[in-house]
Amino acid sequence: MESEAKRLGVEVHSIRVANLQVRPCIGCMKCRTSLACIFSEDDAQRTLALLQEADALVVGAPCYWGNMPGQLKVLFDRMVYGMMGESPRGIPLPLHKGKKAVLVSTCTTQWPFNVWFRQSRGTVRALREILKWSGFRITYVIEKPGTKRHPDLTDKDMKSCRKAIRKLLC
């Protein structure tokens, strides 16, 4: 998807979450009032800065036990203050209203079992929840089951990727 977007003249930043250095959130909630994390700057703050500047977001996440990988969840936990605000009454306020997002999830579980057993769907559900409260509008979802037996992208997969890019750009 990235090369297709670049071909269309869109600036793309890729972040591989597994390579980031991010300390886990300790739940102190000080970021809610100070709008900054108590930890010294690490890759969570740098990623948040890129996200705040972005017009759109593509999140690709494999399914681990029916959910997103722990590293990605830790990253979102640490960026919460820059994703979602809070009214004085405690009502969530989306900070990225109007931005679009595409979700991509893969899993080794074969279709239709990935749906029945909520494998890739679990990852998509969790990402939808985070991004919804942050104000993102999900424009497209791609799920690729059965990657253990069929790891390569098919022509159908590539067609879905191109369609997702068009939805982001429209």
Side-chain angles (χ1 to χ4, degrees):
M1 282 174 59
E2 185 177 328
S3 60
E4 182 75 11
K6 284 183 180 178
R7 186 183 66 77
L8 295 170
V10 176
E11 185 179 343
V12 176
H13 294 273
S14 293
I15 299 169
R16 184 168 166 77
V17 176
N19 295 340
L20 298 179
Q21 297 294 314
V22 177
R23 288 183 59 183
C25 179
I26 60 170
C28 69
M29 303 302 282
K30 293 199 186 315
C31 64
R32 296 306 219 155
T33 53
S34 67
L35 300 181
C37 184
I38 63 163
F39 292 136
S40 58
E41 186 169 319
D42 64 10
D43 290 331
Q45 290 95 334
R46 289 186 278 280
T47 301
L48 178 58
L50 284 173
L51 184 63
Q52 289 169 327
E53 295 296 318
D55 296 319
L57 177 66
V58 177
V59 180
C63 173
Y64 290 0
W65 285 91
N67 211 319
M68 71 180 90
Q71 300 102 313
L72 183 57
K73 177 66 167 74
V74 166
L75 179 64
F76 279 127
D77 287 346
R78 282 285 308 287
M79 298 189 312
V80 69
Y81 67 93
M83 303 283 291
M84 179 184 78
E86 193 173 81
S87 77
R89 300 177 91 187
I91 298 170
L93 301 172
L95 299 179
H96 296 274
K97 201 164 178 88
K99 293 184 180 184
K100 297 177 183 178
V102 168
L103 305 179
V104 182
S105 183
T106 61
C107 69
T108 57
T109 307
Q110 292 288 96
W111 184 87
F113 304 105
N114 70 302
V115 175
W116 293 348
F117 302 137
R118 295 188 168 116
Q119 292 298 300
S120 54
R121 291 281 160 95
T123 300
V124 168
R125 180 199 50 76
L127 291 170
R128 271 188 194 277
E129 191 72 12
I130 290 167
L131 296 180
K132 173 185 77 171
W133 290 108
S134 301
F136 285 90
R137 182 170 57 89
I138 308 301
T139 60
Y140 205 79
V141 174
I142 299 171
E143 292 181 60
K144 179 157 176 65
T147 57
K148 184 175 185 177
R149 291 183 54 208
H150 305 286
D152 296 326
L153 292 176
T154 64
D155 289 339
K156 182 179 175 184
D157 296 329
M158 291 305 293
K159 186 176 179 181
S160 288
C161 291
R162 285 190 288 278
K163 187 173 181 180
I165 289 169
R166 285 193 301 276
K167 292 251 186 184
L168 275 180
L169 298 176
C170 294

